[in-house]
Amino acid sequence: MENESSTVQPAALDLRLALQNKLNHLTKPVGSLGLLENLAIQIGMIQNTLNPQVIKPHVLVFAGDHGAANDGVSAYPQAVTWQMVENFLQGGAAINVLARANGLQLKVIDAGVNHEFFPMPDLISKKMAHGTASFVHGPAMTTDAAEMASMRGAAVVERVSDDGCNLIVFGEMGIGNTASAALLMHYFTGLPLDDCIGRGTGLDDAGLARKRALLHQAVQHGGAVKTPLQALAQYGGFEIAMMAGGMLAAARLRAIIVVDGFISTAAMLVAHALQPNVLQYAVFAHTSGEQGHAAMLRYLHAVPLLNLQMRLGEGTGGVMAVPIIESALRLLNQMATFKSATVSTTLES
């Protein structure tokens, strides 16, 4: 993940002034489109063009199981992971509805679900194992496995990029993965662990107390974690590792990375620790309702586009941001200039 060939280059920062100048000559007061202007500039720099566009947008849902789910870190049993993957593949989940409504292709990646799936057109099998070990008692995976999972995530992104896709929403499914994300957040941000732990899928007070106790135990067993890859191996999930590797690959390919919620942002924490330039390629879709997400975004100096109090995951918040991204680019590319529209820019005496 950290060798020279995987280096993420900066976006085309030298285009910033030209993109800003183009926006300033459109038929509107300077800066009046607010964050849409910032978005258009960012994506122009990502694509190294004054005329950026979204092509064949995809939402990739990475699914994996966590051994810690069997220790009680979630309100739901581990089997819900594979049952929801089947729901995705049948087209019945929230992400299916939103992807169809907003024109995104959906692919589901089996990163390490504790189940065997029949081959289906929208399923990409990259299974590492039937779930991770429990981070409550020791490392979730080896560093070699974390490295391999990240490479498999990169391969998925390269595959859709080869089909012409230049925007990827990163979503996930995995019972127990808010616990994994909370541990990664604690490690990378240095914030107190309890401030990173939320209710996940809807834990009651007793369940939240149990989750906190288990995650404190996990940190005690974590020992001297010294590198981002070691942290990923100690506390992560196969789906989080694949998202992190996929995000780095997307940045290398100059694709737009749309970061969804708490778990997707935890993957970005890993990617950012490995290659800081990856942030220049990231659009943060929303602030989720999960405790810790807003603080995680502040740590990354990220400005999310939406706050719809969503906390479902799956990439749902990310998909909701795509029409905003597309609108920002249409404004940049399709609005008339003052000159072409013969609109006066000065007061006449």
Side-chain angles (χ1 to χ4, degrees), residues 58-77:
H58 278 61
V59 53
L60 302 180
V61 180
F62 293 83
D65 272 312
H66 294 252
N70 296 320
D71 288 306
V73 298
S74 174
Y76 286 85

Side-chain angles (χ1 to χ4, degrees), residues 134-147:
S134 174
F135 49 65
V136 174
H137 308 291
M141 67 188 87
T142 66
T143 53
D144 284 347
E147 181 94 35

Side-chain angles (χ1 to χ4, degrees), residues 146-170:
E147 181 94 35
M148 179 58 71
S150 71
M151 292 172 62
R152 291 185 182 183
V156 171
V157 167
E158 290 162 2
R159 172 174 164 177
V160 299
S161 176
D162 287 344
D163 289 337
C165 168
N166 72 355
L167 179 149
I168 299 167
V169 176
F170 285 84

Side-chain angles (χ1 to χ4, degrees), residues 27-80:
T27 48
K28 61 174 183 60
V30 171
S32 60
L33 288 171
L35 293 181
L36 291 176
E37 298 193 22
N38 297 347
L39 196 53
I41 290 170
Q42 180 190 4
I43 295 171
M45 291 191 298
I46 288 172
Q47 296 183 1
N48 194 20
T49 177
L50 295 177
N51 302 290
Q53 57 185 317
V54 171
I55 302 172
K56 294 185 178 179
H58 278 61
V59 53
L60 302 180
V61 180
F62 293 83
D65 272 312
H66 294 252
N70 296 320
D71 288 306
V73 298
S74 174
Y76 286 85
Q78 190 181 77
V80 171

Side-chain angles (χ1 to χ4, degrees), residues 52-262:
Q53 57 185 317
V54 171
I55 302 172
K56 294 185 178 179
H58 278 61
V59 53
L60 302 180
V61 180
F62 293 83
D65 272 312
H66 294 252
N70 296 320
D71 288 306
V73 298
S74 174
Y76 286 85
Q78 190 181 77
V80 171
T81 302
W82 73 259
Q83 292 165 357
M84 282 302 301
V85 169
E86 292 283 8
N87 192 22
F88 299 150
L89 296 172
Q90 296 298 323
I95 189 59
N96 300 97
V97 174
L98 294 175
R100 286 193 297 266
N102 293 286
L104 281 84
Q105 293 188 49
L106 170 67
K107 297 293 182 185
V108 183
I109 299 88
D110 177 6
V113 180
N114 189 17
H115 186 77
E116 291 297 332
F117 298 99
F118 291 109
M120 295 189 71
D122 292 330
L123 177 67
I124 299 174
S125 180
K126 294 290 182 182
K127 189 187 291 290
M128 293 290 302
H130 287 78
T132 61
S134 174
F135 49 65
V136 174
H137 308 291
M141 67 188 87
T142 66
T143 53
D144 284 347
E147 181 94 35
M148 179 58 71
S150 71
M151 292 172 62
R152 291 185 182 183
V156 171
V157 167
E158 290 162 2
R159 172 174 164 177
V160 299
S161 176
D162 287 344
D163 289 337
C165 168
N166 72 355
L167 179 149
I168 299 167
V169 176
F170 285 84
E172 44 60 43
M173 177 63 216
I175 295 301
N177 65 9
T178 60
S180 178
L183 289 166
L184 291 169
M185 176 184 175
H186 169 63
Y187 174 79
F188 286 110
T189 68
L191 291 169
L193 180 57
D194 284 345
D195 291 349
C196 303
I197 301 170
R199 295 182 184 272
T201 49
L203 289 168
D204 59 17
D205 288 346
L208 180 59
R210 180 177 65 250
K211 182 178 181 180
R212 286 175 175 162
L214 289 167
L215 297 199
H216 278 280
Q217 185 178 334
V219 170
Q220 290 173 358
H221 287 158
V225 175
K226 296 181 179 179
T227 69
L229 188 62
Q230 288 175 350
L232 180 60
Q234 186 72 35
Y235 302 126
F238 293 131
E239 82 282 28
I240 294 174
M242 287 195 193
M243 282 196 291
M247 289 171 177
L248 292 173
R252 291 194 296 270
L253 293 164
R254 291 194 172 275
I256 304 161
I257 300 165
V258 181
V259 184
D260 183 38
F262 188 59

